[in-house]
Each structure stands twice: as structure tokens, then as C-alpha cells.
Amino acid sequence: MIYLDYNATTPLLPYARLAMVEAFDCLGNPSSVHSHGRAARKSLEKARSQTAEYFDLAPRNITFTSGATEANNMILKGFEGNVFVSAVEHDSALNIRKDAAIIPVDRNGIVILDVLAQLLKDSSTPALVCILAVNNETGVIQPIDEILKICQSNNAHLHVDAVQAVGKISLPWQNISSFTISAHKFGGPKGVGALIINGPLQLKILIEGGGQERGVRAGTENIIGIVGMGAALATPQFDWQKLLPLQKKLETSLLKACPDAIIFGREATRISNTTSIAMPGVSSEVQLIHFDLHNISVSSGAACSSGKVKASHVLKAMGISDELSKCALRISYGWKTTEDNIDHCIAAWINLLQTQAKKPKEIHDA
Ligand code: PMP
């Protein structure tokens, strides 16, 4: 079995697994004052410190959540003021505020900076800009430094969905107003993440109850998941640059086999672990089934959208036709991926291409 769907979720890191197994024996509720409760609190705060240390921030900036979807909802629904979101955001940010203005992107999926600047100039404050640092479908990297400057000069808050960026690229963590992370995208468990806020940002509280997480997010903390996330961040990080030769080999081979294939966002700066490619005329569903039959797990786009026949809103925003975007395949790789895995993927893709090329001829012959 070959796993090439790291942008959907990543394998659990050994240290995260170990820390979680130990945390299963943590009996207390971190809100209890007795010794069991204090032990649970200690594990929770250790994970908060590990998370804070990773980003070189204070532990109090971190609010644990059930994942990035909740964290994006918290900031977007909690913010009172004008909201601007890019057209290529993940669904957990794009569709949350119905009153949000959409920032357009160019054909490579990069936010059009002049338009953003103009939108902010025309807007009354307070304003919140929400940008996805690394696109989960295409791997395209947004120019966060430049976007930050535009936001700062217009007194707008910048919220970054950093889900696909953590561990892979460095961002100005201390200068952006807030950001979102999700443990299962960097070797931690599923169902846990955080909203990290720098400095003063007034938010409406969405989940009220027992006052956990400084009253910002009530509910007994998911100790096991949080401990796993802290441990994943405390694990020496994989050097994602090591994947560049594999990405190059994969993309060069696929384009050589099919010069008509399109790699989305190819002219932009992209992350080293993602290839979003369309094999014209062959639907994503057919490609997914073919790869699955070859024991290779890939995706047709965003995992959350898999199964939907709908064309990707990310590719649509980049001006790609629905017809072509319905032929897209996302191949995403990581620390366990070998050259042999990539060779198998190339072979399966070429095999499908050849099968499809024969089809019209057979029909014609018949
Ligand atoms: N943002 C991005 C960019 C993502 O890729 C994902 C997960 N597909 C999310 C947000 C949602 O994260 P979670 O699974 O933690 O809810």
C-alpha cells in the first residue's frame, strides 16, 4: 500500500503516539483541584508550552480546539467587523461568514495584492483578512510577508490558516494577528488543533460553558489529543526540502508521458510535497479508482470535498474550466515517501494514460 495523501492527513509520529499512550492513564480532569486533576493539568500545560515553543510565542496565546475547522470558525464568527477571505480558502474559512468579501486570486492562485490593498482602503475598520498560507489542493504558497505589510498599513488584522504550512515553511508567527493549526497535518492525531492569537483581539465567544481555555473555549480538554499534538511539535522536524527531487521526478515524468497534462499553480512558488495535476479527458473519479486498484491512495482535491462531483472552488477561482478541474488529481507526499513509491505512482499514471488512449480507438474500430 502506498500512501500519497499527506495533505488529507499524515502518519502519526512515534513520539506523538508514545506520549498519547502514556496520556491514556491520565485519570484526572484538568479542572479538578486534587492531585489527579493537577497531574492532568500538568500534561495539558506541557503540551501548551511545547506548542508555544515551536512558534516562539507565549503559552497564553494558545487556545486548544477540536481542529482547524473549529479554530477558523472561532475567529471568523467571533470577529465583529468587516471580513475579507481569499477565493481559495479551505471550506472551513470560505463559507463561514456570509457577509465576507472575497479577495480574488490570479491564475496561479496567488492573492491579487492590489485588489486586497484597495478593498482594505475602502473598508471601515475593524477589518479581518483571512488567508490560507499554503493551499491544500495545489500547494501554492501565498506571499504572507507582503500581505502582512498591506494589512498593517491599513490597520487590519491578518488571520492565517497555517494548517498546511506548519513544519514546512516559516511564517512571521509573532507578527500575524492570529493563525490556525491542525495536529493531524504534521504527525499528530486527528481531532485536535489550536487557534493562536497574538496580542489584543476581541472575539465573541462561541462555545460557552465551564470556562476552560481562559473562558474562550469551554469544554473538558481533549488531553490525549492535545498531548499528541504537543509531542508532534516537539519532535525534530522533517526537512521538507528533501522532497524536492521526488516532486521534480514525479512532475517531469508525468509531463513527459502526457505533454497535455496541466500542473496547477506551476508558475507560482509551491510547497515541495504537493502536485495537483489534470489528465485531460479522464475524470478524477476514474483516476482515483485506478490508483486505488494499484494500492495507491491519492485524492481528487480537498479530502473534505472528495465524493462530491462539484468542481474545485480553488481551481475555479484560478480560472480553470470545470471540465479540466473535474480531471484533477492531488498527489501529496511526506516523510515516509520513498523514490520507489513515486516510481509506482508514475507507472500507474502512465498505465492509466495508455488505457485511456486505447479507448477511442477501440470504440472507433468497433
Ligand atoms: N484548513 C486547511 C488548509 C486544511 O487543509 C484543513 C484540513 N483539510 C482544514 C483547514 C481543516 O482542518 P481540520 O481537519 O483540523 O478541521
Side-chain angles (χ1 to χ4, degrees):
M1 295 298 292
I2 297 174
Y3 185 77
L4 298 176
D5 204 10
Y6 273 67
N7 288 10
T9 197
T10 58
L12 195 60
L13 288 167
Y15 182 45
R17 171 190 279 268
L18 198 69
M20 286 165 72
V21 169
E22 278 173 19
F24 272 111
D25 289 329
C26 178
L27 164 65
N29 183 323
S31 296
S32 301
V33 291
H34 48 60
S35 61
H36 286 95
R38 291 200 306 277
R41 164 75 45 200
K42 205 172 157 194
S43 305
L44 181 69
E45 294 313 324
K46 181 180 170 192
R48 199 185 306 279
S49 298
Q50 287 169 320
T51 308
E53 220 165 276
Y54 182 89
F55 297 105
D56 203 9
L57 291 168
R60 67 171 180 282
N61 296 22
I62 291 145
T63 302
F64 293 122
T65 64
S66 64
T69 298
E70 183 188 332
N72 282 340
N73 270 258
M74 264 174 96
I75 193 92
L76 289 162
K77 287 186 179 154
F79 183 79
E80 289 177 291
N82 294 338
V83 171
F84 300 86
V85 299
S86 90
V88 291
E89 293 305 295
H90 184 264
D91 278 337
S92 61
L94 187 69
N95 298 317
I96 302 310
R97 280 278 294 258
K98 302 297 170 215
D99 60 342
I102 304 294
I103 315 158
V105 296
D106 66 16
R107 66 196 182 106
N108 282 302
I110 298 286
V111 164
I112 303 176
L113 300 179
D114 293 347
V115 175
L116 170 63
Q118 195 56 50
L119 281 170
L120 290 179
K121 275 195 185 83
D122 295 344
S123 158
S124 54
T125 49
L128 178 84
V129 174
C130 172
I131 305 286
L132 181 58
V134 175
N135 193 277
N136 49 306
E137 292 186 34
T138 59
V140 165
I141 303 173
Q142 296 293 344
I144 293 294
D145 287 322
E146 287 170 69
I147 292 170
L148 179 61
K149 275 190 207 138
I150 294 172
C151 290
Q152 284 171 336
S153 61
N154 288 283
N155 289 320
H157 296 284
L158 174 61
H159 173 71
V160 174
D161 177 337
V163 167
Q164 301 286 349
V166 175
K168 298 175 189 154
I169 56 166
S170 176
L171 290 176
W173 306 116
Q174 294 86 19
N175 299 326
I176 47 189
S177 311
S178 62
F179 60 98
T180 299
I181 65 169
S182 175
H184 72 112
K185 308 290 180 167
F186 51 80
K190 297 165 188 67
V192 58
L195 173 63
I196 303 178
I197 301 182
N198 292 316
L201 187 59
Q202 288 300 315
L203 289 183
K204 270 190 294 180
I205 307 296
L206 297 188
I207 304 181
E208 292 178 277
Q212 289 89 348
E213 296 296 280
R214 303 172 319 286
V216 178
R217 197 274 190 183
T220 301
E221 299 86 344
N222 167 11
I223 294 282
I224 295 162
I226 291 169
V227 162
M229 179 162 79
L233 288 172
T235 301
Q237 293 295 304
F238 171 68
D239 177 5
W240 291 79
Q241 290 300 101
K242 282 189 183 153
L243 294 174
L244 277 173
L246 294 190
Q247 184 180 45
K248 195 167 176 211
K249 181 171 191 183
L250 175 68
E251 296 186 358
T252 317
S253 310
L254 300 187
L255 288 179
K256 194 172 161 213
C258 177
D260 290 341
I262 309 285
I263 294 177
F264 300 114
R266 196 165 175 225
E267 294 149 22
T269 312
R270 277 183 298 134
I271 208 80
S272 57
N273 87 312
T274 308
T275 300
S276 173
I277 186 163
M279 185 190 281
V282 186
S283 77
S284 306
E285 284 83 359
V286 168
Q287 297 186 53
L288 280 188
I289 294 165
H290 175 83
F291 273 87
D292 198 34
L293 290 172
H294 282 73
N295 294 326
I296 303 173
S297 298
V298 287
S299 172
S300 63
C304 322
S305 319
S306 290
K308 283 190 212 162
V309 199
K310 224 177 84 187
S312 147
H313 70 270
V314 172
L315 299 181
K316 208 185 197 56
M318 291 162 65
I320 310 292
S321 69
D322 283 4
E323 195 190 351
L324 192 61
S325 100
K326 283 182 180 173
C327 300
L329 191 74
R330 181 185 71 186
I331 307 164
S332 56
Y333 21 100
W335 55 88
K336 287 193 165 183
T337 310
T338 61
E339 190 169 353
D340 189 53
N341 292 162
I342 295 295
D343 288 342
H344 272 86
C345 177
I346 296 167
W349 202 81
I350 292 175
N351 176 276
L352 174 63
L353 192 69
Q354 288 165 345
T355 324
Q356 294 297 314
K358 277 190 204 135
K359 269 195 169 165
K361 193 166 176 288
E362 279 165 9
I363 293 164
H364 184 74
D365 287 346

